[in-house]
Amino acid sequence: MPLFEVQVIIENKPGMNDPEGETILNDLVLKGSYSEVKKIRSAKMLKFHISSKTKDTAEKTTKKLCDELRIYNPMVSKVTFSAKPI
Amino acid sequence: MPLFEVQVIIENKPGMNDPEGETILNDLVLKGSYSEVKKIRSAKMLKFHISSKTKDTAEKTTKKLCDELRIYNPMVSKVTFSAKPI
C-alpha cells in the first residue's frame, strides 16, 4: 500500500487568545522593529507516515485516530489534516 | 502592500531523535492498534501575517527575522517557510 505523510496542524480556535504568539509578536518581533509583521499565531504540528489506499483515506484515518485517542481537545482547538504521497 | 501568511515549521533535524513523536506512536497510536501508522514526528509551527511586496520577499523577510531573533536553534532544528496570500 502506498505511504502518505499527513500533516496535522493543531491550533487554538480563531476566537481564542494565543498568548505564545502574542508574546513572540509584541516582546520579540515588534521590539526588533519588524513592523511589517501584523500577527503571529502558534500551532502544534504532527506528521504521520501512514500506509493507506488513497490520499483521502489517509486523511480520514488520521482524523479518526486523532479524535479517538484525544490527540487534541476539540473544545479549544481547530485541527487541519493534509496528506501528500511520499 | 499585500498581506501574506507565512507558515514556519520548526522540527528536529532528520537524523535527530524525536521523543515526543516516538511516545505518541508507541504508547498511544500503536497500542490503539493503528498499525498502518509507521512514523510520527512532532513539530512546532508559527504563522506570521506579514505585509510584503511578493510571496518571495514575505518568505525571505520571515526567514531573516527568525534567524536574527533566534526563534529556532539552527544546530538542532530544520525550518521550512511557505507563504501564501491572504
Side-chain angles (χ1 to χ4, degrees):
Chain A
M1 256 199 303
L3 203 59
F4 291 88
E5 179 181 289
V6 186
Q7 292 193 341
V8 182
I9 301 172
I10 303 163
E11 60 196 304
N12 284 3
K13 285 187 176 172
M16 296 194 66
N17 278 349
D18 174 29
E20 185 179 346
E22 283 163 26
T23 302
I24 296 175
L25 178 64
N26 294 321
D27 297 342
L28 195 59
V29 173
L30 295 183
K31 281 193 180 156
S33 73
Y34 284 95
S35 59
E36 63 268 51
V37 179
K38 304 305 177 195
K39 192 179 169 187
I40 299 179
R41 296 284 285 182
S42 71
K44 176 82 200 164
M45 179 190 269
L46 294 172
K47 290 182 179 183
F48 286 70
H49 287 196
I50 184 166
S51 64
S52 190
K53 279 182 190 165
T54 67
K55 183 175 171 295
D56 200 47
T57 55
E59 285 177 8
K60 280 193 181 138
T61 307
T62 309
K63 184 174 186 330
K64 185 164 165 278
L65 180 165
C66 288
D67 285 343
E68 277 183 14
L69 299 177
R70 297 276 290 179
I71 296 278
Y72 65 97
N73 181 347
M75 293 291 287
V76 297
S77 299
K78 176 192 152 201
V79 186
T80 46
F81 300 86
S82 58
K84 61 178 183 191
I86 46 175
Chain B
M1 257 202 301
L3 203 60
F4 291 87
E5 179 181 289
V6 185
Q7 291 192 343
V8 182
I9 301 172
I10 303 163
E11 61 196 305
N12 284 4
K13 284 186 176 173
M16 296 194 64
N17 278 350
D18 174 29
E20 185 179 347
E22 283 164 26
T23 302
I24 296 175
L25 178 65
N26 294 321
D27 297 343
L28 195 60
V29 173
L30 295 182
K31 281 192 181 156
S33 71
Y34 285 94
S35 60
E36 63 268 51
V37 179
K38 303 306 176 194
K39 191 179 169 187
I40 298 180
R41 296 283 285 182
S42 71
K44 175 81 201 165
M45 179 190 270
L46 295 172
K47 290 182 179 181
F48 286 70
H49 287 197
I50 185 167
S51 64
S52 190
K53 279 182 189 165
T54 67
K55 182 175 173 296
D56 200 47
T57 55
E59 285 177 8
K60 279 192 182 140
T61 306
T62 308
K63 184 174 186 330
K64 187 163 164 279
L65 181 165
C66 288
D67 285 342
E68 278 184 13
L69 299 176
R70 297 277 290 180
I71 296 278
Y72 66 98
N73 181 346
M75 292 291 288
V76 297
S77 299
K78 175 192 152 200
V79 186
T80 46
F81 300 87
S82 59
K84 61 179 183 191
I86 46 175

